[in-house]
Amino acid sequence: MLLIQKKLSELLGGKKYYSNYYNQSVSKYRDINCYLSVYDKLPKKHYSILTEERINHSDDINFGDSIYSVKRKLNVVYSLVKIQRYCHVLFYKMRIGVYKIVVELHFFKSKLVFFKYTFPSINKHKEIEKYVKKKYLNTNQLIDFSNQCIIDKSNSYLRIENEVAFSLYYVSMKFGFADYLKKKKKTMKKRKIHRENYVINELLEKL
């Protein structure tokens, strides 16, 4: 783990921000609730705006691609971390003009299911929103990025979040991860109800 952190620190310019970002990301994704939050924040289909453009990472990297395939096609230095039993995250950094971007590629059972672009130092997020709209929507089409997202014909979503950092989430509902999370959520809910009932029954016995 220390070697991975060192390599990522070198990759991201040795800046403290990126080291903290990596550590926090690895830590938070070990909790399944973080993944649940990503998918739960996606609005219903009828609140989303359909695009004719395909939502994907690049021309040669698509949702469902294997870790091996993606690693071969990426022409960057990266760090790959196993987060959970079925989940891996591949981190790397890129720079396009003045824009610095930290990229996370998330794999479930070795298949790419969602990726995230985070702009750590951007103060002109409206520009990025404008470019997203230019690529995916008609010029005169209205969208409220705080409440709506973009969806393509393959049921892949693009959502913008501007909270702790300005980030773009690209999420696929295919390849088993969404269903896996639904089952996890259902199981967790049952366990919570069971624990609550146990406490109530134990309390009733003592009263």
Side-chain angles (χ1 to χ4, degrees), residues 105-145:
L105 300 181
H106 293 255
F107 298 85
F108 172 69
K109 294 185 176 179
S110 295
K111 292 183 178 180
L112 180 63
V113 290
F114 100 79
F115 58 97
K116 176 183 176 184
Y117 294 161
T118 296
F119 296 76
S121 58
I122 190 172
N123 54 15
K124 296 181 179 179
H125 59 84
K126 289 295 181 182
E127 287 188 1
I128 302 299
E129 292 179 358
K130 181 181 71 174
Y131 297 143
V132 168
K133 184 177 177 181
K134 182 178 180 179
K135 177 176 180 179
Y136 292 98
L137 304 176
N138 296 327
T139 307
N140 60 347
Q141 200 162 6
L142 298 176
I143 182 170
D144 178 5
F145 283 112

Side-chain angles (χ1 to χ4, degrees), residues 66-95:
S66 68
I67 293 177
Y68 174 75
S69 172
V70 171
K71 284 164 62 178
R72 280 195 304 110
K73 294 172 183 176
L74 281 177
N75 190 27
V76 295
V77 179
Y78 59 81
S79 287
L80 181 66
V81 184
K82 184 175 183 179
I83 298 295
Q84 299 196 31
R85 182 181 178 187
Y86 299 118
C87 301
H88 291 76
V89 185
L90 189 153
F91 294 89
Y92 70 91
K93 176 194 172 186
M94 65 179 177
R95 181 166 185 161

Side-chain angles (χ1 to χ4, degrees), residues 29-87:
Y29 287 122
R30 294 198 188 284
D31 183 354
I32 195 67
N33 285 298
C34 184
Y35 281 113
L36 286 170
S37 176
V38 170
Y39 280 74
D40 285 346
K41 286 182 179 178
L42 296 175
K44 301 295 183 182
K45 264 190 176 181
H46 59 276
Y47 288 120
S48 304
I49 297 180
L50 182 66
T51 178
E52 296 297 320
E53 192 78 21
R54 189 159 58 102
I55 296 174
N56 61 347
H57 177 274
S58 58
D59 289 340
D60 58 349
I61 296 179
N62 301 287
F63 286 120
D65 285 356
S66 68
I67 293 177
Y68 174 75
S69 172
V70 171
K71 284 164 62 178
R72 280 195 304 110
K73 294 172 183 176
L74 281 177
N75 190 27
V76 295
V77 179
Y78 59 81
S79 287
L80 181 66
V81 184
K82 184 175 183 179
I83 298 295
Q84 299 196 31
R85 182 181 178 187
Y86 299 118
C87 301

Side-chain angles (χ1 to χ4, degrees), residues 4-15 18-19 79:
I4 293 173
Q5 290 175 327
K6 182 179 178 182
K7 286 183 177 179
L8 192 69
S9 179
E10 293 171 354
L11 161 66
L12 300 178
K15 294 183 179 179
Y18 296 109
S19 178
S79 287

